[in-house]
Amino acid sequence: MSDNLIPAIRDALGQLRPAERKVGEVVLADLDFAIHASIGALAARAGVSEPSVTRFCRAVGCDGLRQFKVRLAHSLAAGVPYQAVTIDKDDDAATLVHKVCDSISAALQDVRERTDPAALDAAAALIAGARRVCCIGVGSGSGVVAQDAFLRFVRLDIAASAHSDGHLQRLAAGMLDPGDVLFAISLSGRSAEINDSVRIAKEHGAQVIALTQAGTPLGWDAHVPLLLPPSSAATQYSPGVSRLMQLAVVDMLAIAVALRQQPAVLEKARRAKAELERLQAQSRA
């Protein structure tokens, strides 16, 4: 087991039992909470029993929660890749160029290492076979990503929609049926509007795909969770990094769906793109 506990937890997630994996996801989603939480608080947030927390600690090479918290604190104090890029208010423009690019690079590297191919494949299968797909997200981050996902799916001749208003999200979720898909996007995974819409969609038999961080209620409630790694690159000075992480997964998902489409559908998409290019060329003439 690595001396650096954080990447060790990430690497172990795929081999852990479901209850232990939930504990690991909660830890990675909120390291400060994990360092200070009691075994009861950690178990409650993960939705598991206290013995499951103890088994998780042992699974990652610790005797128990006390040793786990000490090693986790040491990992943070030592400086780990998870916190490698920091942006200061006094940085000049040249420094910002390097730091922002380094932040994006580090975040996308995390996405590449942590994206579950099986989950991506399952999500692509659901969308490719769906009667319709409803994309939902809130705010300038997830709301924009939901709109991008909608545009990507429409270009593949999929009956898609996108909603960023909480009331419309609940209304749209209530109109879904078995065979439909709700694509819920929320980095925090704790948005009341999003999670309420997920509950409504599931009650009506729709399948739910979630794009969120590990260790969130949204991820636990989804039929297919697409889990983003927690990233300190998304600071108050660079919130766009998180959005780029989400967009990268949407790109992967849209391409995976496209690869499942029939030649006739792809030809229709090609014709639509050619028509748009023709109109753009006319407007420039």
Side-chain angles (χ1 to χ4, degrees):
M1 186 63 64
S2 168
D3 291 335
N4 193 322
L5 198 56
I6 296 169
I9 296 171
R10 292 177 178 172
D11 293 341
L13 283 181
Q15 287 74 49
L16 296 176
R17 287 178 285 190
E20 297 163 14
R21 187 182 308 118
K22 287 183 178 181
V23 179
E25 290 171 348
V26 165
V27 169
L28 291 175
D30 194 340
L31 296 173
D32 289 335
F33 167 80
I35 289 173
H36 298 100
S38 66
I39 189 170
L42 194 54
R45 180 171 289 194
V48 301
S49 66
E50 292 184 7
S52 293
V53 175
T54 301
R55 286 193 292 269
F56 161 77
C57 294
R58 291 172 179 165
V60 296
C62 301
D63 293 335
L65 183 62
R66 182 187 298 273
Q67 185 188 39
F68 171 80
K69 291 164 72 172
V70 169
R71 286 187 57 191
L72 185 61
H74 285 170
S75 295
L76 284 173
V80 293
Y82 179 92
Q83 294 183 322
V85 180
T86 58
I87 294 175
D88 302 315
K89 64 179 181 179
D90 296 325
D91 286 341
D92 59 23
T95 302
L96 284 176
V97 169
H98 289 284
K99 285 191 173 182
V100 170
C101 290
D102 287 346
S103 295
I104 294 170
S105 178
L108 293 182
Q109 179 68 23
D110 271 353
V111 171
R112 182 171 74 174
E113 293 178 354
R114 287 288 303 280
T115 298
D116 182 356
L120 187 70
D121 195 50
L126 284 177
I127 291 173
R131 188 174 68 95
R132 56 179 168 171
V133 178
C134 178
C135 308
I136 60 173
V138 175
S140 61
S142 297
V144 170
V145 176
Q147 289 289 334
D148 183 78
F150 153 70
L151 292 172
R152 297 296 299 271
F153 298 148
V154 164
R155 289 175 180 174
L156 295 174
D157 199 28
I158 292 171
S161 61
H163 302 284
S164 57
D165 176 81
H167 293 292
L168 290 178
Q169 288 170 357
R170 293 179 176 92
L171 176 63
M175 298 179 69
L176 297 178
D177 293 312
D180 297 334
V181 170
L182 180 71
F183 185 24
I185 304 169
S186 171
L187 191 66
S188 72
R190 292 178 168 81
S191 167
E193 301 96 324
I194 299 294
N195 291 350
D196 204 26
S197 298
V198 166
R199 176 187 59 78
I200 294 169
K202 291 174 69 175
E203 287 176 353
H204 289 81
Q207 294 290 302
V208 175
I209 300 169
L211 177 56
T212 185
Q213 285 192 20
T216 66
L218 177 58
W220 300 334
D221 288 343
H223 296 103
V224 180
L226 299 173
L227 301 179
L228 291 166
S231 175
S232 62
T235 68
Q236 59 180 327
Y237 298 114
S238 57
V241 173
S242 295
R243 185 161 62 248
L244 290 173
M245 295 167 70
Q246 292 174 308
L247 289 170
V249 176
V250 169
D251 274 351
M252 298 175 199
L253 182 57
I255 293 170
V257 172
L259 292 174
R260 291 174 172 271
Q261 299 288 49
Q262 298 298 320
V265 174
L266 297 179
E267 173 60 21
K268 187 184 295 186
R270 187 199 64 77
R271 293 201 314 266
K273 181 179 179 182
E275 183 63 21
L276 286 175
E277 291 174 348
R278 184 185 66 80
L279 292 172
Q280 290 171 352
Q282 286 182 347
S283 66
R284 290 193 297 266

